[in-house]
Amino acid sequence: MKTSILNRNGITPEIAGLITRLVTLIPWPARRQAMGDVVLTILDGKPRVAENEFGWNRSAVALGIKEYESGIVCVNDLTERHKPKSEEKYPELLASIRKIMEPHSQAEPRLRTTLLYTNMTAQSVYNALLAEGWSEESLPAVRTISNILNRQKYRLRTVQKTKVEKKQQKQMPSSTTSGK
């Protein structure tokens, strides 16, 4: 029967729980180094075993081992992880959309908000951009254009269809006809 590394190294479940609780008290990024130290000392340097035994992310543990051994702390720049928006990548696209939308936009009738309402759909803006000379490969999808319009405070609204007036039925004058 195969024994776990914790049993082989004489670590009881109570001590494993204590290690987990103590490591969670350490703030990041020092926690990664502490996890790396624990894995090197107790688990023979195996991050996958730390994932099974302690519930730690093995990639974080592997990074912690490298940080612990080298003494260099890796800093994550989370601000650079976002995907740039289409209007950030192509500012000329935003200018073209504004040029198309301005003649078709109107302010809210009561002037309570700064939103511009329009009766143009994202599909019609997409078609207008194609007619203006943009290629299909360089344009984002219609849903993305809809998101751009929403971010630029253009609120799409459905155009109210004209209501068909019902024909008025002429009332028949009540006649006093006698029965047979």
Side-chain angles (χ1 to χ4, degrees), residues 171-177:
Q171 290 185 349
M172 299 291 281
S174 60
S175 62
T176 56
T177 56

Side-chain angles (χ1 to χ4, degrees), residues 129-147:
L129 287 170
L130 286 176
E132 195 175 283
W134 286 81
S135 66
E136 286 189 35
E137 296 81 31
S138 63
L139 282 179
V142 175
R143 179 64 198 173
T144 306
I145 290 177
S146 176
N147 292 340

